[in-house]
């Protein structure tokens, strides 16, 4: 949440899922830098309670990642549950040198699309 306080929202890379005229899920991406590297931050990912077991969250994550790849964007960073996000190419090891604002469990900081280890403070 602290990252979203200063990052620039990317509506072109953020998506909602609708069912019956209601929003049942969303994912948002934000412009950041990790040190000097331009990157994106993923969050929040939110899915209506009644839709959590049908793969909607995974489809939103995959769609946002594919849209970012299509635009040639850099790595995507997030704070989340490794078993969920690892199936979409996110991993903890490239993030060992990343410094996020506020307290964060380093075992929950993941990235995908990095050419190598990421290091430095997350900033606008």
């Amino acid at each position: 949440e602290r990252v979203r306080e200063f990052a620039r929202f990317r509506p072109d890379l953020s998506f909602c899922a609708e069912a019956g005229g209601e929003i049942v899920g969303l994912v948002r991406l934000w412009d950041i830098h990790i040190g000097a590297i331009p990157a994106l931050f993923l969050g929040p990912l939110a899915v209506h309670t009644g839709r959590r077991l049908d793969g909607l969250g995974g489809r939103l994550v995959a769609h946002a990642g594919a849209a970012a790849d299509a635009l040639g964007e850099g790595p995507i960073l997030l704070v989340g549950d490794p078993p969920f996000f690892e199936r979409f190419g996110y991993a903890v090891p490239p993030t060992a040198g990343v410094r996020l604002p506020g307290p964060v469990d380093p075992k929950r900081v993941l990235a995908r699309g990095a050419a190598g280890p990421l290091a430095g403070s997350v900033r606008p």
Side-chain angles (χ1 to χ4, degrees):
E1 188 172 322
R2 298 291 313 268
V3 172
R4 296 189 309 260
E5 292 174 0
F6 62 75
R8 185 177 68 90
F9 176 54
R10 291 289 301 269
D12 59 325
L13 294 174
S14 299
F15 304 95
C16 293
E18 293 184 37
E22 294 187 12
I23 295 175
V24 295
L26 66 85
V27 63
R28 289 185 170 186
L29 290 175
W30 308 77
D31 278 328
I32 60 169
H33 284 81
I34 303 168
I37 298 173
L40 297 167
F41 185 79
L42 187 150
L45 168 65
V47 175
H48 186 278
T49 308
R51 299 292 303 267
R52 290 202 176 142
L53 298 178
D54 69 3
L56 178 59
R59 289 192 303 276
L60 285 165
V61 169
H63 186 72
D69 291 346
L71 292 179
E73 297 288 345
I76 302 174
L77 183 75
L78 63 84
V79 178
D81 186 34
F84 178 82
F85 288 101
E86 286 172 344
R87 36 189 183 140
F88 306 104
Y90 290 86
V92 173
T95 65
V98 174
R99 292 184 308 280
L100 285 151
V104 177
D105 180 353
K107 295 177 194 151
R108 295 178 52 82
V109 179
L110 298 97
R112 72 177 274 282
L118 297 167
S121 294
V122 173
R123 58 180 184 76

